[in-house]
Amino acid sequence: VDVGGATVGQIGPGLLVLLAVEPDDTAADAEKLVDRVLRYRVFEDPAGRMNLSLLDTGGGLLLVPQFTLAADTGKGLRPSFTGAAPPELGRQLFGHAASHAGRQIGERLALGQFGAHMQVSLTNDGPVTFWLRAAATT
């Protein structure tokens, strides 16, 4: 992740998580989502099956705030961002999610920068992409 020409977050093999916060999200939701991401079995085991988690592989986690994922695109030709949390709540819960992840994986965590214009580069090895929601973890 680059901001203003400088790299602010970078990992090797692991997961890139684009994190959106919605108005009704809570700190508990953020923790549930992080726990699920860290334990979600999306990496291949020796038999070639998706059976290993980030915790199993020791990979990195690049956590990037991305409020546009909460956009309502259901009608018209322009997205509405009313589904995204207000910036202060988004900043608070992104920080909470980052702290929770950091307590579990330490230096393997890298972050994007909240509120910044970021250039995010990804080498998608698969491609394997999933949409996880905190509500689905209960």
Side-chain angles (χ1 to χ4, degrees):
V1 176
D2 291 342
V3 175
T7 300
V8 298
Q10 178 177 334
I11 61 169
L15 295 175
L16 166 62
V17 172
L18 303 174
L19 180 68
V21 177
E22 296 175 310
D24 293 334
D25 289 344
T26 66
D29 291 328
E31 291 177 11
K32 286 181 196 177
L33 186 63
V34 166
D35 290 344
R36 189 168 188 215
V37 164
L38 295 177
R39 290 164 178 77
Y40 210 63
R41 299 180 311 167
V42 294
F43 296 98
E44 289 186 358
D45 66 13
R49 293 188 177 149
M50 282 185 172
N51 205 24
L52 300 176
S53 71
L54 191 69
L55 293 178
D56 297 325
T57 65
L61 175 63
L62 179 54
L63 194 60
V64 177
Q66 190 68 38
F67 84 95
T68 60
L69 288 175
D72 179 356
T73 59
K75 59 183 178 180
L77 298 176
R78 183 175 173 190
S80 168
F81 297 107
T82 58
E88 190 49 44
L89 177 61
R91 182 182 309 278
Q92 176 188 1
L93 291 183
F94 178 77
H96 188 77
S99 294
H100 187 69
R103 285 190 294 275
Q104 295 182 67
I105 64 169
E107 293 181 2
R108 293 185 292 138
L109 174 67
L111 302 174
Q113 185 175 326
F114 191 92
H117 183 100
M118 296 176 282
Q119 289 78 46
V120 180
S121 300
L122 163 69
T123 301
N124 198 350
D125 185 9
V128 176
T129 306
F130 298 98
W131 179 17
L132 299 180
R133 297 181 67 117
T137 65
T138 57

